Structures are given as structure tokens and as C-alpha cells.
Amino acid sequence: MGKTAKKKPSAPKKISAPKKKTQLNLKRGTMVDLYEARQYLSLDTLKETGLRMPVDVYFKDPAVAASNEAAGFDKDFTTPWEPGLANGPTSARFAVVDYDATKNVLTPPAMWSQAKNCYLAPDGKTVLNEKTKTLFQYHQLSVWAIVQNTLDFFESGAGLGRRISWAFEGNRLIIVPHAGYGENAYYDRASKSLQLYWFDNEKGTVYTCLSSDIVNHEFGHAVLDGLRPYFFESVGAQTAAFHEFMGDLTAILMAFRNNKFREVVLEESNGELSNAELLAGLAHEFSEATQDAPYLRTGLNDKTMKKLAGNLEPHALSEVLTGAMFDILRGVFAKHRKNEVKRWKAGRSSRPSDRRALADTVPRMQMLAIQPLDLLPPCAATFRDYALAVLRAEQVANPTDPSGYRQLMIDCFIKRGILEESDRKPLMQPAPVFRRPALDVFHTVDQIAASRGGAYRFLDDNRAKLFIPLNVDIDIPEVIRASKRTRDGLPMPQQTIVQYLWREDVVLEGKRFGRFAGESTTMLCGATMVLDQNGNLIHWARKPGTADVGKSKAALDEQADGSRRRKEILDVIAARIAAGMIGESIGGELGLLPRAIPPFTVEHVDGKLRFGLAPHFSLDDDHAHDGTGDRQWQISF
Ligand SMILES: [Zn+2]
């Protein structure tokens, strides 16, 4: 996305009504031409030409809108236009299907008008906007516009700098805005869909599809599943919690990038982000209706790994990492505020501006949190893996670090117990920004990146140096190239990202495995290797196995790490079995029944147990740790 800042002449400012934004009425051929060249156009031009379409969406949800008019509808919101838009809405990557399983009703879709370049109600005349917010077609448009925009953000240079694939066959994620009656919402890989439920309370009907937080949270699951499909096959508490974190982070970052919303946040919190519940708190309406609490979860919390030791509930645990990232956000904002004072004292501005400080914080925070996702291991990710990825991505983008961002991040991660105090010294030591991996056989980056086969031959030729056991067969789920940008919009060196995995058998021996005793499961092992265009190693996040990979000290350490992993996996499986958190899922054609999904599923694949996550927006965790053996996923209202 282009920059929008324009130097204005320093003529005295006239007070006048805000300029009415006009959208040019262009011919379709012209639109397609411009669409081809969109990467060179500024945001203002994209809006003016209709390449970004205006759609009224709630900043947060109808309850926030009712209690705070300024935080009601986002009238500046736009979402990317593309040539193939159709009824539904349907676009390249999404299809809205409004089927309600409770009522067995298929609601007619929002209609695409080529002539008006917008979506209309089924009458072919009524424009869908704030005024028609009660129409289900407005709901359809709003939910589509949100995910269409969020995907664009993830794929932009400030995000991952490339197209993202889904974790399922096909390229269209189905969005079901009124999936049925229920206090829930979820992403479901099996039905390739986001399922958004509705429910009644004394104030009326709550539609989860109208909550930007809930839609973005669920979509965050879909994006992460596409990036790291093997995270689903995990019983580790932190990998499940990381999925929840990703959902909440997506919701916070997407709310946060909006100018108007930032102004409201600053006003409400008097410029102190430590009070900014409007920004940090998630799913206000849903939470008020279901739990009598203002927010379901919040980035403003003081949870630490120590306080939550032994807690296997993913949503609860995710708040530690969300809290850490919110601490970093506050720290970055504080630095930008100081810069504002410096500018003012140097006579470069008329006064320090919190608005400008927060506007400067946003792109840095987005990049700092999203770009490291490419550096995560392919399986079994922990909060520590993410913290190390964040620090490494920052080092690559900002090697000299004159403002001390690295120190700030390390402090925040240590405070939450995500990194250890003993990590500080090695992490603060100046290290080379780029280093070559030790290899037996050299391959060029172009050869590695050309295909999964090319990446495989590179790995296979270098098994010993890369600690890959000789006898295992390696799977390469994805090889991709990314063109990320710095916060100034400058291109970074292209990155090649290779994920590779293998499986190691693990037998569940002993009484602690209950009905699964004597069966075997597999431990996923592997790594993500990120190289720059010259073959320098940007990052290498490994999840070793227990097999022999050599006799050098590094190889023995690797093997010892694998043994630690194996022990941890066995312990967590036993703990989950004891807590009754593993069950068979009850499936349906249009997804899973919201009240009947256990948080972890199990199935037999090739005679071995395979565990998996079943992420939800919310689970009632009152029963999780009361020791009565209640199955936590049975929500009773
Ligand atoms: Zn979730």
C-alpha cells in the first residue's frame, strides 16, 4: 500500500466543512487497468478510483456502538475491489453462504452491481450500509468486507509480503454469517468455513457476525492454519494457546490501524494506553451477554507463565502472550511520545501530538508482530519460539536499533516469563545480522525456492549438517518467497521460507494414558529455515527428534532437546487425558455442533493416534480445573 502523507503548503488554515469524498465513476476496463497497477497507487487514489470500496462496518460491535457513538460505525472503512466480485459476496478468496442450520433457511445473497460498483439488497436497488444494518444482506457484506480487508493486510508488504494459502483444498474460505443458534463462533477446516452463530438475550439478538473482534479472531485462526497447518496436530498447551493469541492479536491490530478508532481510544484513555480497554478488550457485546463481563479477554492483564503454570486451557494461557505484546505496544508508544517531545523542543512541531505518536506506533507494531510469523517452526510452536522470532525479525529489519526496541521487547518477554533472565545476555550480545549455514553441499537459493523437490534435495544433501536423521522421510509442506517491506515502505531482501517435517513414533505406556494405554502416536519433528536472496540464514527454528544425528556437541545437544520434547509431549497427553479434555468430535455436514466439540480431538490414522486442536472463540472454562472430571467442553448455560 502506498504512502498517503502529503506535504501541505503552509498557508493559514481555513476552517471549512470536511471535503466530501468523491468516488470516480470509471469504466470497468479502466478499473481493471488500474487494478493491474494498484501496487503503485496511493491509498487515496485507491479510494478515489473505487479500487478500495467503502463499506460501513462496526468499529467493534453493536453494543460498543450503542454505548459510545464515536466508536460506532467506521465510516472510513474500505476493502479491496477485485475484478471477479460476485453475489454473496463472493471474491477470489471468500464466499459468503448464508445458511442457518437451526432454521434451515438459506437467505438470499447480497447482489453485486457492476454499474454502481457496490453491493445491493436483493431488490437490486437498496444500497447496503449503516441505514440498512438490520438486513441480513448487510450482515453478509459487513463480514465479507472485514475478512477481505484483513487478508489484504496480512498479504501486504507490511505483513507477510506474499499471497497466503488456506489449510484446505481450494482457495475460497466459506463464511457462514448466521450459522445457527449458539453462543459461539469458530473456524472449521473440515468444512472450509468460518461459522458465526447468533443467540438471544434480554436485549435482543446478538449476531457474532457483526462483531469485528469475533470475525477477525476466527479469521486469525484460518490464516494461521494456512501458514502452519501442523499446529492443529498438537497437544502442547502453548501451540493451542498460540492459535488463540493469533486470533486476538488479529482483532487488536485490525481495530488499531483505523485513524478514527485511534482517536476515540486516545480520548477515552486520556492518552494512557494502560487504560485503553476499548482497544485491548475483546468481544464486548458477546461477553456482556454471555458472561456478564465487559470483555471476554484483554491485552491489559498481568498474567505470567508462572501464574498459569499447569493451566492447559488455551484461551486463558493465550492472554500471557497477548499481554506481553500489549506491553510492547505501550512501550513503543512511549518511545514515540518521547520523540514527539523532542521534535517539539527542537522547533519541528507546534506541540507534541499523541495522535501522531500512536499513528507512528501502528505500522511498527503491525510489522513487529506479523512479519515474524514466517519465522515460526512448522509444528509445536511455543511462546518462546514466537518471542525469538519477533526479536530476530526486528534485528533483520532494524540492525542498529538506535531507539532500543530490542531491549524493550526482551524486558517485556522476561517479565511475562516467556523468556528467562538468563536469555538476556546472549540475546543482547551483538551478533552478525546474516550468517551462512554450515553445509556439505551448496545449493543456490533459486534452486531451493524453485519447488518443493528443489528444497528437498537441498535438505537431503545436507542432512548431517542440518541434524536430520538419515533414515527419516522428510515432508515439505510449503516453500515460499516473500517480499516484505520495512516500516518506511522500503523493500527488504527477498526471503525464502522452507518448512520441513518428519514423524517419530511414540508409544503411550502406562496407566496414566487411560483408554489410550498401549497405543502409539507420533511426534512431529522438523524445522523452518528462512534464507535471504544470497543464501544467508535469517532464521532456523527447529523441533528436533530423539534419533541419532551425529556425535558432535551440537548434534548431541539437538538429540537431548528431542528427548526433552518427547517427555513433555507424553506428560501433556497424560495431563489432558486426566482432565478429560480429549474426545471424539461430533461432526456435521456444515461444521461441528458448537456445544459438542472437545477442545482436543483424537482419531486413528494409519493405526496410530493423531491428536488435534478444535479451536473455538470461547469455551466456558469454569469446569476446567475443578478436579471433578467434568468435560470442559460441555458448556452449560
Ligand atoms: Zn479462538
Side-chain angles (χ1 to χ4, degrees), residues 185-186 217-218 221 243-245 247-248 297 315 615-618:
Y186 52 90
H217 175 100
E218 294 313 324
H221 280 305
H243 243 285
E244 297 311 328
F245 159 75
D248 286 353
R297 289 185 291 283
H315 297 88
H616 305 57
F617 184 70
S618 122

Side-chain angles (χ1 to χ4, degrees), residues 240-259:
F242 188 81
H243 243 285
E244 297 311 328
F245 159 75
M246 175 76 178
D248 286 353
L249 176 78
T250 306
I252 290 173
L253 288 181
M254 293 316 290
F256 181 52
R257 72 198 298 248
N258 183 292
N259 283 324

Side-chain angles (χ1 to χ4, degrees), residues 466-629:
L466 302 180
F467 308 123
I468 302 171
L470 277 176
N471 60 341
V472 300
D473 192 11
I474 317 165
D475 182 41
I476 298 170
E478 195 174 51
V479 181
I480 33 172
R481 277 185 160 173
S483 304
K484 299 184 173 69
R485 289 180 176 263
T486 67
R487 60 165 305 225
D488 304 315
L490 301 172
M492 284 199 259
Q494 213 175 38
Q495 297 174 353
T496 292
I497 300 137
V498 181
Q499 295 180 55
Y500 57 96
L501 298 116
W502 67 92
R503 288 179 186 278
E504 205 178 278
D505 286 347
V506 175
V507 182
L508 305 180
E509 275 171 309
K511 264 196 273 179
R512 63 181 182 147
F513 296 106
R515 66 188 165 108
F516 302 116
E519 296 211 54
S520 57
T521 184
T522 55
M523 172 164 87
L524 284 169
C525 311
T528 298
M529 185 177 265
V530 183
L531 301 165
D532 76 4
Q533 199 50 29
N534 299 319
N536 292 308
L537 189 60
I538 293 177
H539 201 58
W540 189 19
R542 301 191 305 281
K543 293 287 159 180
T546 63
D548 179 8
V549 284
K551 296 294 164 230
S552 68
K553 181 176 180 307
L556 292 172
D557 285 351
E558 191 81 355
Q559 198 180 0
D561 200 20
S563 301
R564 245 191 320 274
R565 289 190 60 223
R566 184 193 185 95
K567 183 181 175 305
E568 253 173 46
I569 287 172
L570 287 169
D571 288 349
V572 79
I573 292 175
R576 287 206 190 285
I577 289 170
M581 290 172 96
I582 296 176
E584 265 109 333
S585 59
I586 303 156
E589 271 183 15
L590 279 152
L592 304 163
L593 295 171
R595 295 185 186 209
I597 319 170
F600 294 88
T601 60
V602 62
E603 56 181 342
H604 278 94
V605 179
D606 304 331
K608 294 190 183 92
L609 293 170
R610 199 168 280 183
F611 298 98
L613 306 181
H616 305 57
F617 184 70
S618 122
L619 282 165
D620 183 348
D621 57 351
D622 290 353
H623 308 300
H625 310 288
D626 60 3
T628 61

Side-chain angles (χ1 to χ4, degrees), residues 186-206:
Y186 52 90
Y187 159 64
D188 179 42
R189 187 202 283 178
S191 61
K192 311 176 182 184
S193 65
L194 300 189
Q195 304 272 334
L196 300 149
Y197 288 77
W198 54 271
F199 58 94
D200 294 325
N201 69 350
E202 60 274 19
K203 287 183 191 161
T205 305
V206 174

